[in-house]
Amino acid sequence: MPDPTATDLPRWVRVLEHRPDGFVEFAFSIGDPALAVELILPEPAFTAFCAEQRVRTWPLNENREETRP
């Protein structure tokens, strides 16, 4: 299993929902996108988080099912 403290591991974000109240629900993982935590942040904080973590994104398909990076 990859070391989650390693700075060279890819960091992944999958947006689950942009809520009408201004929050973003998303899944975040380090190294292995199969292991993720779900988080929620206000849109400005989400944007800052993604920039700080230098994330890669992976989308849900049209049926809101996960795709693999």
Side-chain angles (χ1 to χ4, degrees):
M1 174 159 230
D3 176 4
T5 61
T7 58
D8 61 338
L9 291 175
R11 295 164 190 306
W12 300 96
V13 162
R14 181 180 70 240
V15 174
L16 304 172
E17 182 179 3
H18 286 273
R19 296 177 13 168
D21 60 1
F23 284 86
V24 179
E25 294 182 30
F26 63 100
F28 174 69
S29 67
I30 298 173
D32 182 359
L35 300 171
V37 295
E38 291 187 10
L39 302 168
I40 183 170
L41 289 172
E43 182 80 39
F46 171 74
T47 301
F49 176 85
C50 290
E52 181 178 304
Q53 294 297 318
R54 295 180 305 236
V55 300
R56 300 176 187 181
T57 59
W58 82 95
L60 297 174
N61 67 20
E62 60 276 353
N63 297 321
R64 296 202 43 82
E65 297 169 333
E66 180 180 335
T67 60
R68 286 285 164 203

